[in-house]
Amino acid sequence: MPVEQVDMGGYTLIENASLANRNTLRVAARATLLAEIRDASKLPELLDFPAVRNGRLLVLGEGSNVLFTGDFDGTVLAMETRGVQVESDGDSARIAVAAGERWDDFVRWTLGHGYAGLENLILIPGTVGAAPIQNIGAYGCEVAEFIESVEAWDIRECRVVTLDHATCAFAYRDSLFKHEPGRYIVTAVRFVLPRSRPLRTDYAGINEQLARMGVDKPAPFHVAEAVVHLRTSKLPDPAVIGNAGSFFKNPIIDAALADALKREHPGLAVWPQPDGRCKVSAAWMIEAAGFKGIREGDAGISNRHALVLVNHGKATGPQLWALAEQVMHGVRDKFGVMLESEPVVIGAR
Ligand code: FAD
Ligand code: EPU
């Protein structure tokens, strides 16, 4: 079927668009309408078209944290805006970054310009605009720590809003944006980054990797290099095999339950949380339940990392979700803990 494509100046509209190359699990899906947005100031005009205003909306960055279980009957807004604005006072900088910038490019830019803080978050796929949605985190850091505010188009109020750090209600893989899905289109994120700060090297593997690199007085770029090494050795590359990173969140459970599980399963990794509860390793439980490396058709669990659901080729969204549910039920039956998916599942469950 021929695909209609129209450049509207600031955004391009594509009818009946394929999303297969717009999600890193590489699932085939289509959107009734796709809007590639290069100028966020055009959002009000676009959102006022009756077909857009009266239909469903989905904001998409690089699609590295979504699972489509069907076509999207509505408008997909693909954020492709660019721009970085810096106000520096010497010791730190306030940096406003457009939602469509690539996260990893921005991290490398900060390191190249001598700002500290984001080194542990290098190589996470996706856009800057998506970073606050699940409060991306890795190797002992979460992005929330560096976010001063988030600028968004508020669909309910029909206006631009600036949401300060507290309003964003950041938590582990969570934020206001997950609790009010469909309300905000993030257009920019404002970060505050210092020139220097104590490095975080205590997450398992970083100090050992720095030692292997022969570094005894690490700078932020050394930590970044160590994290790149650890990530590439552990996680499958979406360019090689479709995946969305961790498909399951590490569950946060009561300390008493965590103690009981640890007594029965001494190998289980348990991370105490500031609120007294404990985060436990979903990967360990999935592996112990026998799911690491399993494959059903083209849907599988990576043999490199038990948290990663993989598409070996032509798996459909429903096939991948069926395998994810099988894993969740298996872990629940063995450990009494129900896992939750980290990526957003779009379509029927
Ligand atoms: P998408 O997948 O396009 O969207 C994710 C969600 O955010 C959707 O609900 C979407 O509607 C919403 N959204 C996106 N942009 C906007 C916007 N501008 N406004 C409003 N809503 C928006 N995550 C981690 O936290 N830590 C990791 O270490 C990590 N490692 C990963 C490794 C791999 C190999 C992969 C594939 C993924 C990994 N992830 C990790 C997950 C993913 O990289 C992040 O969640 C990332 O922030 C998603 O960005 P995206 O642009 O692809 O968002
Ligand atoms: N483990 C296993 N089997 C495996 C893999 C890991 O038993 O196949 C156990 C090991 O005991 C290991 C522990 O799990 O010590 C932790 O593993 P890892 O350091 O890889 O961390 P993770 O908890 O599996 C989390 C994030 C990742 C993030 C890493 C590093 C979640 C859901 N995942 O994974 O984020 O990169 O820590 O900080 O919190 C993502 O969100 O997509 C993601 C990749």
Side-chain angles (χ1 to χ4, degrees), residues 7 23 74 84 99 127 163 173 188 208-209 246 265 274 292 295:
D7 187 341
N23 71 94
V84 178
T127 53
L163 305 161
R173 299 294 190 270
E208 294 79 349
Q209 180 56 26
S246 300
H265 309 283
K292 188 170 179 175
R295 180 169 177 170

Side-chain angles (χ1 to χ4, degrees), residues 72-87:
F72 186 75
D73 178 18
T75 305
V76 168
L77 307 176
M79 296 304 284
E80 298 180 1
T81 53
R82 298 284 186 271
V84 178
Q85 288 174 324
V86 188
E87 290 167 43

